Amino acid sequence: MEIRPGNPASPAEPFRRALSHRGELLEKAARACAGVIGTACTYTPFELVHACGFVPIRLWERPGVVEKAYGLVPGFVCPFMRRCLEEALAGGFRFLSGIVQAYTCDVSCGVVNVWKNNFPLQLCRSLALPYNDGARSRSFLRSELMGLVDDLVAIGGTFSEDSLRRSVDLYGRIRSTLASVLDRLGRTGALGAAETLTLVQAFFVTPPETYLDMLVRLEDELPCGAPPDESRVPVIVSGSVLEDGAVLDLVEESGMRVVFLDLCTGMRALVPAAGAGEDPLESVVDRIMNRTACPSRSLPGQRARDLVLQAESYGARGVIFLFQKFCTPHLADLPVVMAALKDAGVPCMLVEIDGNGIEGQVLTRLETFATIAGAA
Amino acid sequence: MRELASLVMEYYAECHRAKAEGRPVGWMPPMNGGIEVFYAMGLMPVFPENYSPVCAAFGAAPPHFETSEAMGFSRDLCGYMRNILGYVHGDMHGPLEPMGGLPEPDLIMSFGGGCIPAMKIFQHLERRFPHAKVFRADMPQVALDDIKEHHVAYAVSEMHRFIEFLERNTGRKLDEERLHEAVNLSDEACRLFDRIMSFRRNIPAPFGASEIGLMFVMVTRQGTRTAVDFLSRVLDEVACRAEARQGVVEEERLRLFWDNIPPWYDLGLLRYFEKAGGVVVAETYSSAWSIRLDTGDPIRALAVKSLMSYPLVSCVSIDRRRDMVLRACRDYAIDGAVFHSNKSCVPITLGQADIMKALERELGIPSVTIDGDHMDIRNFSLAQFQTRADAFMETLLERKGR
Ligand code: SF4
Ligand code: SF4
């Protein structure tokens, strides 16, 4: 992701700076804790990794031309994962102790396995998640999570029920504060969509204690902001990973207003803030089971219902799908989801991101879409 | 092997017969322990993914692609998915559908432990056949080296849940004796399949990769006497050919390995190498069917099989796959490996680069990449294939000093 120069007066500026310097900050953080553990997917429970004394982060992509990664993965896999590998090949993840990847998408898990063979890490493992919810699935997930704890302890972590309780509380606070900040921002229009994305992205790469401080400060200082510009067409942006907010600027330039970011790097990772349960591990299990589902974990009909409801509750008049090219889980559900939105009278369009920047025609397509959605 | 065509036809005829007779028909993905349970209960398993190669071979896939793409399914999705969804949303029993099409499902099973397209195929099939009873299993997706007791225990509990589901929805009881027998037959089929394949270590190899259709029986008839009898006859035939030192070509000059699913629309492409005396004598894809079962504990055996089959050939266990390819290349005296970079199957294509490097580094075996697609001919260029294959064979022959 190219971190663009920011506006020093923007409330998002500290988050943009955290993103710009994430490499150095994480090198420092790695020295001060058991290590940094990466993941390419928000289903890896950050609180559990944190409870073992590690800083959990989400991997990021390298902007610019992909060269080295083409020798390791084919050209027809999601450009985000290819670019993450490129960043690793360029030395951008030297501070990582390990990667823990929840098995969600074939590409993220496959690329992590490729990673394992090319960069020595102390730990590289996947996490098997059940698709069904029930007593047996939950008990299996508990065992799987405890297996992860054992592996983290084996590479220098320490774990106790107390430490997990503290981490669950910490991440619960972060998610609920972030959700309320985003809600306020969505209702006031105080921040643009790309800046809003920056807030969320910083969550994935900043030690959580630091991030919570930044967030609380932002919440206190958040300008009331003018009411949203009602002349702009309210839309939901939905899709997989989005690292570069430039496309969101284009959406706004086309006369639309983003009211909800239904992305892996957006609200899907944040809801619900915490799970319920008698002990902290149970609450981690419960949160995984109840979190807003990504297409890799849900049925197409469920995704369609979720999006129709979101469109209703946010008053969205259109949905723009932003997918990484070749993203199987999202592409596989798309026909059903689009049909449901069409039946609900919500127009939608698809923009695929191939990692080489946004083509000029996209702006024209967005402008046309804004007209259609505005008239719908 | 000549019997294979009639075996294929007989299988599809039986699918239709079962439907006509009121024997419950269940659609499921291949490579899991559901098939043995089905046969043991007298139910009819149908494999929509396996029907896709048949469609490709009969030239029926392109119209199916047209249908699914018109519905909005991206061309970037796995060809099995686009083919089968196009098929079920078209005229399922139209005159152009091979084998008279597939009988509609009474039951739909997805096992969870495969790739995302395999899961999504069944989710869409559920929508297409709303009257069918649906079972979604949760087989954990885990690399072979990471399989722990809790994974197996959960997979076993999923097998029990599966059996309960079948008993409840078909009114049939699973007879443990029959399941035991099905698992014994399944294991015997794996043993025979392995024996047949191992004859290809002979120089010259008695048969090449274009006979890979043999796998059909491993996909559709696991757990039956039909599979064992057929494979026994194939074994005899192959043993005779081997004893007579009867090869695929007059002079076998190059022994090749094929990685990834073959191009089903033209298996003849695998014989292209023969013009330079090259024979494909081993492949990765067929290994998924050589897993031996612990027949002493049938349910556990089927659970373990369900856990292992897909990781064995996919990017879930790249390390194991690499070791398997290296071992095969050693055992089968391979001169060069052909890696099909398959746009329709990301899970099998990911990791190929590492395996190619390991082959060169550890065994000095060179490789070539062929860009293609196991289902969609639009993603394949014959000219590029020929140019690369010719250059590769030229290099290999030079290395061998002709
Ligand atoms: S963007 Fe899509 S293909 Fe890429 S890692 Fe995420 S889910 Fe997988
Ligand atoms: S394993 Fe490959 S070919 Fe099979 S369904 Fe998955 S993506 Fe398609």
Side-chain angles (χ1 to χ4, degrees):
Chain A
M1 174 187 46
E2 196 97 56
I3 313 292
R4 291 169 299 160
N7 163 12
S10 163
E13 184 56 13
F15 298 86
R16 194 198 60 79
R17 277 203 306 272
L19 271 183
S20 299
H21 300 290
R22 59 201 161 178
E24 305 128 59
L25 294 171
L26 286 169
E27 287 215 15
K28 220 187 276 169
R31 289 194 292 271
C33 67
V36 176
I37 297 289
T39 181
C41 173
T42 54
Y43 275 86
T44 297
F46 273 31
E47 43 277 75
L48 197 73
V49 175
H50 183 258
C52 294
F54 294 85
V55 172
I57 61 143
R58 189 183 172 119
L59 302 170
W60 60 78
E61 63 178 22
R62 186 173 183 80
V65 181
V66 174
E67 284 168 356
K68 297 183 182 137
Y70 271 120
L72 292 178
V73 296
F76 46 81
V77 300
C78 120
F80 166 71
M81 285 310 301
R82 199 166 51 230
R83 284 170 178 279
C84 287
L85 203 56
E86 187 78 7
E87 178 69 3
L89 289 161
F93 295 120
R94 275 185 310 252
F95 53 80
L96 275 186
S97 299
I99 296 185
V100 176
Q101 181 61 27
Y103 201 105
T104 44
C105 146
D106 301 321
V107 176
S108 56
C109 290
V111 170
V112 166
N113 284 332
V114 169
W115 200 300
K116 182 160 75 176
N117 285 325
N118 290 279
F119 312 91
L121 289 167
Q122 286 175 278
L123 175 70
C124 199
R125 57 122 65 210
S126 65
L127 199 62
L129 302 174
Y131 289 104
N132 299 324
D133 191 358
R136 274 191 294 203
S137 329
R138 285 179 176 237
S139 137
F140 164 71
L141 186 51
R142 266 184 94 96
S143 309
E144 186 68 351
L145 295 179
M146 282 316 292
L148 170 59
V149 168
D150 291 344
D151 286 354
L152 289 168
V153 167
I155 61 161
T158 48
F159 177 79
S160 68
E161 197 170 307
D162 265 352
S163 68
L164 182 57
R165 187 167 290 113
R166 282 193 299 274
S167 300
V168 166
D169 287 349
L170 175 64
Y171 277 93
R173 270 195 73 197
I174 291 177
R175 292 194 197 97
S176 58
T177 314
L178 185 51
S180 93
V181 165
L182 294 184
D183 195 52
R184 267 174 70 189
L185 288 172
R187 292 183 201 287
T188 61
L191 278 192
E195 285 177 307
T196 307
L197 181 70
T198 302
L199 287 190
V200 187
Q201 280 172 302
F203 161 64
F204 293 115
V205 294
T206 312
E209 300 80 359
T210 315
Y211 185 77
L212 183 60
D213 285 348
M214 289 159 66
L215 204 56
V216 169
R217 217 168 302 133
L218 172 73
E219 201 182 21
D220 292 345
E221 292 165 7
L222 205 61
C224 291
D229 179 355
E230 298 293 344
S231 67
R232 291 173 172 274
V233 184
V235 292
I236 288 176
V237 168
S238 173
S240 42
V241 194
L242 181 64
E243 290 246 310
D244 186 348
V247 64
L248 297 177
D249 289 339
L250 286 187
V251 169
E252 290 178 332
E253 274 168 37
S254 317
M256 292 178 275
R257 173 164 62 87
V258 179
V259 290
F260 189 73
L261 286 173
D262 170 55
L263 302 168
C264 303
T265 40
M267 289 304 287
R268 266 213 312 281
L270 304 171
V271 177
E278 305 219 317
D279 62 53
L281 188 58
E282 192 50 47
S283 74
V284 176
V285 168
D286 187 64
R287 195 185 112 77
I288 293 177
M289 289 296 190
N290 285 320
R291 55 156 283 171
T292 315
C294 151
S296 65
R297 312 294 311 159
S298 69
L299 301 167
Q302 182 189 341
R303 279 284 298 154
R305 278 190 300 279
D306 285 354
L307 268 167
V308 169
L309 281 175
Q310 279 162 7
E312 269 170 23
S313 80
Y314 286 87
R317 290 167 62 189
V319 174
I320 299 170
F321 291 102
L322 287 182
F323 294 174
Q324 295 283 333
K325 189 150 172 61
F326 310 114
C327 176
T328 293
H330 284 265
L331 286 172
D333 280 3
L334 192 64
V336 171
V337 175
M338 275 193 161
L341 286 164
K342 196 170 156 219
D343 287 348
V346 182
C348 31
M349 73 175 282
L350 169 65
V351 177
E352 286 188 283
I353 301 161
D354 70 2
N356 296 321
I358 303 295
E359 304 152 18
Q361 316 152 317
V362 170
L363 182 59
T364 319
R365 286 181 57 213
L366 286 169
E367 283 168 348
T368 312
F369 181 72
T371 313
I372 295 167
Chain B
M1 288 202 197
R2 281 183 299 272
E3 277 179 54
L4 184 64
S6 55
L7 190 109
V8 172
M9 283 194 286
E10 171 46 29
Y11 165 74
Y12 284 104
E14 192 188 334
C15 293
H16 290 292
R17 237 177 5 250
K19 188 77 187 176
E21 290 165 0
R23 188 148 51 107
V25 167
W27 287 22
M28 67 170 81
M31 308 208 293
N32 60 72
I35 180 172
E36 287 86 350
V37 177
F38 252 59
Y39 280 124
M41 290 180 75
L43 308 170
M44 192 67 217
V46 168
F47 304 92
E49 279 153 279
N50 178 257
Y51 185 57
S52 291
V54 178
C55 294
F58 279 79
H64 298 161
F65 292 152
E66 258 174 53
T67 308
S68 55
E69 286 163 22
M71 291 170 68
F73 289 100
S74 163
R75 252 185 88 164
D76 289 330
L77 291 165
C78 158
Y80 281 173
M81 178 170 188
R82 283 179 291 129
N83 175 70
I84 202 68
L85 295 181
Y87 163 67
V88 296
H89 285 280
D91 180 4
M92 280 183 63
H93 303 290
L96 297 178
E97 301 306 346
M99 310 289 156
L102 298 177
E104 293 201 10
D106 305 300
L107 306 155
I108 292 180
M109 266 74 52
S110 65
F111 274 78
C115 63
I116 297 287
M119 179 183 69
K120 289 289 169 192
I121 288 173
F122 286 86
Q123 293 181 349
H124 286 288
L125 291 176
E126 284 176 27
R127 299 176 62 82
R128 167 65 183 82
F129 302 106
H131 63 274
K133 299 278 184 257
V134 174
F135 179 81
R136 299 188 203 110
D138 247 353
M139 289 299 168
Q141 191 66 282
V142 57
L144 294 178
D145 293 329
D146 296 336
I147 296 179
K148 305 256 167 40
E149 191 44 43
H150 73 272
H151 296 114
V152 177
Y154 188 52
V156 167
S157 77
E158 286 296 275
M159 287 307 299
H160 283 295
R161 197 166 66 82
F162 174 58
I163 293 165
E164 281 158 28
F165 163 87
L166 292 178
E167 290 185 336
R168 201 173 50 249
N169 285 290
T170 64
R172 294 170 182 235
K173 276 239 75 50
L174 174 68
D175 175 343
E176 283 185 22
E177 263 313 297
R178 284 192 67 187
L179 182 66
H180 207 149
E181 193 194 332
V183 170
N184 276 330
L185 289 168
S186 187
D187 182 55
E188 177 61 4
C190 291
R191 190 189 68 79
L192 290 166
F193 189 74
D194 228 21
R195 282 279 295 139
I196 293 167
M197 290 297 153
S198 65
F199 269 105
R200 295 162 85 192
R201 292 177 196 194
N202 288 20
I203 302 176
F207 69 98
S210 57
E211 312 273 12
I212 202 69
L214 199 58
M215 260 170 16
F216 180 85
V217 72
M218 300 304 284
V219 179
T220 61
R221 290 298 198 182
Q222 283 276 40
T224 66
R225 169 80 32 215
T226 313
V228 168
D229 290 349
F230 170 74
L231 290 168
S232 301
R233 288 193 294 276
V234 172
L235 180 61
D236 290 345
E237 185 188 331
V238 169
C240 278
R241 276 201 229 165
E243 204 180 293
R245 297 186 54 80
Q246 193 184 332
V248 176
V249 286
E250 210 164 295
E251 190 197 349
E252 184 181 284
R253 293 197 292 169
L254 294 173
R255 295 172 62 81
L256 303 171
F257 181 88
W258 179 276
D259 184 70
N260 215 321
I261 307 176
W264 294 122
Y265 40 81
D266 186 2
L267 283 182
L269 289 170
L270 295 169
R271 304 195 60 170
Y272 179 77
F273 306 97
E274 290 173 12
K275 68 174 193 165
V279 180
V280 177
V281 299
E283 50 292 293
T284 333
Y285 193 46
S286 43
S287 329
W289 284 276
S290 55
I291 296 173
R292 299 298 304 273
L293 306 176
D294 169 8
T295 53
D297 187 344
I299 302 242
R300 189 179 163 95
L302 297 178
V304 170
K305 172 186 161 181
S306 305
L307 284 177
M308 286 178 66
S309 304
Y310 170 70
L312 195 63
V313 291
S314 71
C315 61
V316 178
S317 288
I318 293 178
D319 297 357
R320 276 290 197 104
R321 208 175 112 206
R322 183 196 54 221
D323 295 349
M324 191 172 75
V325 173
L326 258 59
R327 197 172 44 249
C329 287
R330 234 182 260 120
D331 293 352
Y332 286 73
I334 296 294
D335 298 304
V338 183
F339 282 80
H340 179 202
S341 180
N342 179 356
K343 181 154 188 285
S344 252
C345 187
V346 170
I348 301 185
T349 304
L350 260 174
Q352 282 183 327
D354 283 318
I355 300 173
M356 288 167 85
K357 274 195 281 179
L359 269 177
E360 182 69 62
R361 191 180 56 235
E362 292 177 34
L363 302 179
I365 295 178
S367 311
V368 67
T369 300
I370 302 290
D371 295 316
D373 190 307
H374 68 259
M375 281 298 292
D376 196 337
I377 201 165
R378 292 171 297 179
N379 295 324
F380 173 77
S381 152
L382 181 62
Q384 192 217 52
F385 167 76
Q386 288 174 334
T387 312
R388 289 205 187 157
D390 288 346
F392 186 55
M393 287 189 290
E394 184 71 16
T395 315
L396 292 179
L397 287 170
E398 255 164 41
R399 278 170 79 121
K400 279 193 104 173
R402 303 223 171 210

